[in-house]
């Protein structure tokens, strides 16, 4: 490895040997700067990923000796109804969470004006993202609560009986996703507000002179310029949907009858909760979730890699 | 500007917009407003079914009660004890890694960078069993230190992505000029680059503060009791104890949400700059 040609050589007086210490220092420097952070990341993130894959081939309660069971954890998954329920719910999460992107754009368009006090409005619309998902979960549990929740009362006023969203296995996941969309829409909104800020005004004016307006203008002129914002909104929304854990845990603990479980929650339940300490089986569930996420992560990284090369 | 500035439209449109703004906002924050009002309701109101009417009086006592009759203060304190060291640790480490990846060209640079980025996106569950095991083995299970150490390591991924891109956008000439002068590598980092990345440090600090304060998953995996658990996990267990005492749950929720909200309002510009990194080319 040589010193990067991108930087000028250290200037030396004629006749003197190049200062070898400095060159060596420059070669070593990046590794010294990297070492502490990379080490921590290695120990707590990279190695555990490999270990989890390894543990998924064992039967293990977390304390006594591990027993090698080959792929039987994965075979058990194939026959596990709770696993399929979780997987199905993860897909519903993923699909419905995407709504955060158009809704975020819609609110951003609504707020992209310069009237008095608009900055405060923007901040307050962003509010749900700042608060913890635990608090969001509690807020929505209260909102949906049968007997007195605002949502319940509203539906009662409409249909006479009221809808107890979280008590019904057929609606519970949708109720939780709605709660999750609240902060996620706020996040997408702020991404688009930032994006809209930097849309080239001359292009808008030019298109306006050509008679473009409304939806057409949005689709052909504005959205292409918002592509970086859309990409990030997509990344954070996909990751957010697949990471969903907090809301399920707070609002229903996977119930009723396990109907609102998602893979992340089911894994936790198997590995660490009152249902027992099945670390190996839990690890196998985690590996499946990891594999699903890796499909998306690879796609994102591939795109970022291309952009980086293009620089 | 898109959409068209409201000022260029008809007076009717302008009035409609001015009315729609607060109406939409109230609808948007309705669940939150409901909880805020509930947190000020006396228990007797809830018992009598007065859920939506005007509270019979403002019961600030709810807020005092949660401090007197539960380890709420301890949970809040634990949150600070986890969050503040994590912010310092993760930001410090990522200044170093970000600098290394932005300034030096060496083989494997991009690969290491993308490992940090990818690691930042993985599901927590794939880390859960080994990290818990490791923490137990280090004797740090159910301690604030054990929780903070993991957070530092994990947040380093996101912070490195941020720092590296920020430092890469700095003018190269500064560093090249310093090298020509014969300034050492550490000196360049400390005296030239560090003063320039202050905005990035501010942005990362508020973001990491919010992320860690709001973390629930790792709090439940790595800590158990009220001596160590942060407020997110604490609130969940208090919620179990305060069955149907919604005025207490609401007051607790509001208090738990306050520190990140205060952070956001105090450092709004940095917060948004951090979150929207990359949203603009």
């Amino acid at each position: 490895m040589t010193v990067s040609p991108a930087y000028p050589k250290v200037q030396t007086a004629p006749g003197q040997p190049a200062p070898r210490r400095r060159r060596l220092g420059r070669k070593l420097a990046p590794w010294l700067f990297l070492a502490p952070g990379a080490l921590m990341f290695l120990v707590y993130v990279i190695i555990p990923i490999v270990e989890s894959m390894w543990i998924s081939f064992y039967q293990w309660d977390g304390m006594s000796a591990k027993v090698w069971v080959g792929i039987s954890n994965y075979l058990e998954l194939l026959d596990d109804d709770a696993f399929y329920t979780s997987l199905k719910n993860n897909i519903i999460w993923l699909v419905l969470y995407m709504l955060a992107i158009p809704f975020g754009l819609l609110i951003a368009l609504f707020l992209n004006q310069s009237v008095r006090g608009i900055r405060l409005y923007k901040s307050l619309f962003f509010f749900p993202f700042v608060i913890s998902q635990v608090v969001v979960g509690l807020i929505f549990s209260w909102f949906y609560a049968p007997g007195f929740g605002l949502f319940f009362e509203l539906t009662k006023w409409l249909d006479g009986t009221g809808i107890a969203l979280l008590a019904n296995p057929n609606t519970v996941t949708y109720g939780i996703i709605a709660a999750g969309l609240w902060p996620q829409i706020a996040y997408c909104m702020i991404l688009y507000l930032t994006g809209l800020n930097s849309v080239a005004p001359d292009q808008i004016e030019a298109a306006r002179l050509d008679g473009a307006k409304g939806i057409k203008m949005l689709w052909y002129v504005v959205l292409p310029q918002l592509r970086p914002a859309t990409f990030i909104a997509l990344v954070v929304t996909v990751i957010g949907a697949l990471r969903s854990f907090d809301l399920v845990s707070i609002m229903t603990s996977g119930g009723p009858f396990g109907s609102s479980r998602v893979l992340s929650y089911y894994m936790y339940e198997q590995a660490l909760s009152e249902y027992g300490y099945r670390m190996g089986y839990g690890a196998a569930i985690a590996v499946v979730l990891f594999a699903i996420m890796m499909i998306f992560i690879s796609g994102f990284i591939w795109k970022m890699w291309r952009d980086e090369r293009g620089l | 500007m898109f959409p068209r500035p409201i000022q260029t439209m008809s007076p009717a449109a302008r009035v409609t917009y001015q009315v729609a703004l607060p109406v939409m906002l109230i609808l948007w924050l309705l669940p939150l407003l409901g909880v805020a009002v509930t947190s000020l309701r006396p228990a007797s109101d809830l018992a009598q079914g007065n859920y939506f009417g005007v509270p019979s009086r403002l019961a600030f006592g709810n807020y005092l009660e949660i401090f007197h009759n539960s380890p709420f203060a301890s949970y809040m304190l634990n949150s600070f004890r986890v969050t503040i060291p994590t912010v310092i640790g993760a930001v410090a480490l990522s200044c170093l890694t970000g600098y290394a990846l932005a300034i030096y060209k060496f083989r494997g640079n991009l690969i290491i960078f993308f490992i940090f980025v990818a690691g930042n996106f993985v599901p927590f569950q794939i880390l859960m069993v080994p990290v818990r095991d490791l923490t137990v083995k280090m004797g740090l299970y159910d301690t604030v230190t054990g929780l903070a150490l993991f957070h530092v390591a994990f947040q380093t991924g996101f912070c490195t992505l941020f720092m590296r891109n920020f430092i890469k956008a700095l003018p190269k000439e500064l560093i090249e000029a310093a090298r020509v002068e014969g300034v050492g590598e550490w000196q360049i980092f400390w005296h030239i680059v560090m003063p320039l990345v202050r905005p990035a440090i501010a942005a990362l600090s508020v973001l990491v503060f919010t992320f860690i304060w709001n973390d629930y998953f790792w709090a439940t995996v790595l800590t158990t009791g009220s001596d160590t658990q942060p407020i997110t996990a604490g609130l969940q267990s208090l919620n179990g104890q305060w069955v149907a005492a919604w005025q207490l749950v609401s007051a607790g929720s509001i208090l738990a949400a306050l520190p990140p909200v205060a952070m956001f309002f105090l450092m709004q510009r940095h917060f948004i700059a951090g979150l929207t990194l990359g949203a603009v080319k």
Side-chain angles (χ1 to χ4, degrees), chain A residues 170-240:
Chain A
N170 294 320
T171 55
V172 60
T173 293
Y174 301 100
I176 304 174
I177 294 173
L181 277 173
W182 194 43
Q184 194 64 31
I185 289 172
Y187 193 174
C188 293
M189 173 207 82
I190 209 81
L191 287 169
Y192 277 122
L193 273 176
T194 312
L196 282 170
N197 240 336
S198 64
V199 166
D202 48 332
Q203 287 194 32
I204 303 278
E205 285 318 311
R208 217 162 252 160
L209 287 179
D210 289 341
K213 57 183 171 187
I215 299 283
K216 265 208 168 133
M217 171 84 100
L218 179 67
W219 189 256
Y220 292 107
V221 183
V222 179
L223 272 185
Q225 295 193 54
L226 290 177
R227 212 169 277 155
T230 306
F231 175 67
I232 300 206
L234 190 71
V235 174
V236 296
T237 305
V238 167
I239 301 294

Side-chain angles (χ1 to χ4, degrees), chain B residues 32-55:
Chain B
L32 186 63
L33 294 172
V35 166
V37 174
T38 305
S39 76
L40 291 173
R41 256 179 220 289
S44 56
D45 272 21
L46 297 180
Q48 287 158 14
N50 178 11
Y51 290 106
F52 303 107
V54 180

